[in-house]
Amino acid sequence: MATVQKRGNSWRLIAYLGYDSSKKQIRKTKTIPADGITKPEAKRMANEFENECLKKGFINDQNLTVKDFIDYWKREYALQPDIYSPKTLERNEDLLNRIIPAIGSIRLKKLKPTHLMEFYNNLREDGMRLDGKKGKLSSRTIQMHHRLLSAILNKAKQWQFIEINPCQHVDAPKSKSKSAPIYDEQTLLRFFQILFAEAKTKYQVFFLLDFSTGLRRGEMVGLRWNDINIEKAVLHVNQSAIAIKGKGIIYKDPKTEKSKNGVSFPRQLIPIIEKYREEQEILKSKCKTKWPDNDLVFKTAEGRQMFPSTFSHWLTDFIEKHNLPHISPHSFRHMSVTYAIDRGFDLKAVSERARHTQVSTTTDIYAHVLPQKDQAIAACLGEIIDHAKDTKDEKQDKK
């Protein structure tokens, strides 16, 4: 990070440009008149000077390391407003905690595909988890390292720090896609029966609404009463709740613009939603502390915002208690879409309801359901053929 020093009637701009082969920090300076230039303005000019030095001075320089460039990429691009969401930044930091120790000391111009191949192979070994848990990293997590590295090195190429992106010459780690487990109709019916019999109204509303609308977990937790039109049985997704380390719960715009479109829910849910709101009003009247004015549908007994993970933990305990197969809150979204496809609803309509950007997204995720529909279509067309055949046989019999 560039700095400035006041020296008499001038400002000294200091640019920090990484380290040389002996690990000595490389600095470049520039002196400008101080007349009329405040310290914040001088600091801005110092940053511009450093950027210019990096872009021009290091294109043919062998000393800039991968870590140096990652620091530059974060400062000048990734941490700028509206580039990445807070959750993505948090995930990127977790990935960089493995990337930097492994290849950060390699000079950027010397980074080769073989370095990346060795790194990916190392990620496949035991002991690479940073959460202290046993086991290996998932194939998806390994793929995420590659995608982040490729994005960073694409910027290095775009900004003319390197001529080629070595990630383009490495086979990307393959991710074994896992569809969220779902219940068959009989098990789902049992789940809802037990839910009605034993769960608090809040959890009944959450999972019934989740199943019937297909909302994502963060979208459910971010719902406000103002987003629900009881008379029309329609809700709007205007925000999504996410948990960020050190920051708690924050709210962001929905994943896609389509998410803001209205989503209908069964009118059978209206009485239970109204019952839940009445219960919430009672809690508010009995609360000994000031009830937060957040309008959230799902909140604690003290009116505070809830973590999305709360519903995951509750669901795990609930299904274990009743000896049901393990699923997650996201499974209810998958069941919502799967059952709609299975019931023969138009794929485009189902995709719109799921708020996918494209119909192809729906077909990719729910490809396991489509062969069943394909077989049903074939059987239906076969009935036409059978009917034609039977008609022909009847005519021949009459002769």
Side-chain angles (χ1 to χ4, degrees):
M1 180 70 73
T3 59
V4 296
Q5 292 178 352
K6 185 73 178 292
R7 307 188 72 180
N9 294 324
S10 63
W11 286 107
R12 187 186 188 200
L13 314 182
I14 307 172
Y16 298 92
L17 310 175
Y19 298 84
D20 60 19
S21 56
S22 61
K23 296 185 179 181
K24 182 179 178 182
Q25 191 172 51
I26 303 171
R27 302 193 308 173
K28 287 190 177 181
T29 62
K30 179 180 180 180
T31 301
I32 60 172
D35 296 340
I37 298 177
T38 63
K39 187 172 182 178
E41 290 173 335
K43 185 67 169 63
R44 177 183 56 78
M45 295 172 71
N47 286 333
E48 292 175 354
F49 172 59
E50 184 177 83
N51 293 342
E52 183 181 351
C53 290
L54 283 170
K55 291 178 181 179
K56 293 182 178 179
F58 274 109
I59 275 185
N60 298 313
D61 197 293
Q62 303 299 314
N63 297 318
L64 188 69
T65 66
V66 172
K67 181 184 182 303
D68 291 334
F69 181 76
I70 289 175
D71 291 340
Y72 177 76
W73 169 81
K74 286 168 62 176
R75 182 176 70 250
E76 302 299 330
Y77 178 74
L79 296 179
Q80 297 301 311
D82 302 323
I83 299 296
Y84 290 114
S85 70
K87 196 66 177 178
T88 301
L89 288 174
E90 182 182 65
R91 183 190 64 198
N92 286 350
E93 281 301 315
D94 289 339
L95 300 176
L96 290 173
N97 284 338
R98 294 191 187 92
I99 291 172
I100 292 175
I103 62 173
S105 61
I106 299 173
R107 294 177 186 175
L108 183 64
K109 297 278 285 184
K110 297 291 185 179
L111 185 65
K112 302 295 182 184
T114 52
H115 292 127
L116 303 178
M117 291 164 54
E118 291 171 1
F119 173 54
Y120 299 152
N121 288 334
N122 183 234
L123 290 177
R124 296 185 177 97
E125 299 174 358
D126 286 322
M128 293 304 297
R129 297 179 66 101
L130 299 177
D131 55 9
K133 296 180 180 179
K134 295 181 179 180
K136 298 181 179 181
L137 296 176
S138 68
S139 58
R140 181 174 178 271
T141 299
I142 296 173
Q143 188 183 71
M144 288 167 64
H145 286 80
H146 172 78
R147 288 180 176 175
L148 177 58
L149 264 174
S150 185
I152 292 172
L153 295 174
N154 271 338
K155 287 300 179 185
K157 180 181 176 182
Q158 179 184 340
W159 298 336
Q160 299 181 353
F161 286 92
I162 55 177
E163 294 183 3
I164 61 171
N165 179 352
C167 285
Q168 296 174 345
H169 298 276
V170 176
D171 292 334
K174 294 182 180 180
S175 174
K176 297 177 183 178
S177 59
K178 286 185 179 180
S179 57
I182 63 173
Y183 287 160
D184 58 35
E185 194 164 343
Q186 184 177 358
T187 307
L188 180 63
L189 179 62
R190 184 180 168 219
F191 172 87
F192 283 138
Q193 287 172 339
I194 300 173
L195 189 76
F196 279 124
E198 298 191 18
K200 291 182 178 179
T201 311
K202 174 167 59 179
Y203 295 104
Q204 292 180 26
V205 172
F206 184 92
F207 290 105
L208 290 167
L209 204 56
D210 196 11
F211 170 72
S212 59
T213 61
L215 264 63
R216 301 171 179 88
R217 186 183 65 171
E219 295 170 343
M220 288 289 299
V221 178
L223 275 178
R224 293 166 294 196
W225 287 111
N226 193 46
D227 299 324
I228 301 178
N229 187 320
I230 290 291
E231 291 182 0
K232 295 183 178 180
V234 173
L235 59 81
H236 294 267
V237 181
N238 292 310
Q239 64 177 14
S240 181
I242 55 175
I244 303 296
K245 293 177 184 176
K247 295 183 179 179
I249 303 296
I250 67 170
Y251 299 93
K252 66 171 187 174
D253 289 337
K255 191 171 183 180
T256 65
E257 281 300 314
K258 285 186 178 181
S259 292
K260 295 183 179 181
N261 297 338
V263 182
S264 299
F265 58 86
R267 288 192 170 274
Q268 292 92 323
L269 296 188
I270 292 178
I272 193 169
I273 293 174
E274 291 179 332
K275 177 187 175 184
Y276 172 52
R277 186 158 197 181
E278 290 172 1
E279 290 179 357
Q280 201 174 84
E281 288 298 321
I282 294 173
L283 286 173
K284 180 179 179 180
S285 65
K286 293 181 178 180
C287 188
K288 296 180 180 179
T289 59
K290 184 179 179 181
W291 188 269
D293 185 21
N294 51 32
D295 195 39
L296 291 171
V297 174
F298 300 103
K299 57 179 72 177
T300 68
E302 297 77 26
R304 296 192 299 270
Q305 54 191 184
M306 297 184 71
F307 280 81
S309 59
T310 300
F311 293 94
S312 299
H313 297 321
W314 182 91
L315 180 62
T316 297
D317 293 339
F318 184 79
I319 61 181
E320 285 181 357
K321 177 182 177 181
H322 298 287
N323 198 28
L324 290 164
H326 177 74
I327 55 173
S328 69
H330 197 65
S331 297
F332 289 88
R333 173 174 169 80
H334 278 276
M335 286 189 282
S336 181
V337 177
T338 298
Y339 278 96
I341 295 174
D342 187 60
R343 294 299 191 275
F345 287 97
D346 178 71
L347 193 60
K348 188 175 187 303
V350 175
S351 180
E352 288 285 339
R353 183 173 174 80
R355 302 169 319 284
H356 288 147
T357 307
Q358 299 175 335
V359 175
S360 60
T361 304
T362 311
T363 56
D364 288 344
I365 298 174
Y366 298 93
H368 61 288
V369 184
L370 298 178
Q372 301 170 17
K373 303 309 298 178
D374 184 59
Q375 293 167 11
I377 292 171
C380 179
L381 298 177
E383 290 176 2
I384 296 175
I385 296 173
D386 285 340
H387 181 68
K389 184 179 178 182
D390 293 342
T391 304
K392 178 183 177 183
D393 291 341
E394 288 176 4
K395 289 183 178 179
Q396 288 180 342
D397 291 340
K398 288 181 180 179
K399 290 182 180 180

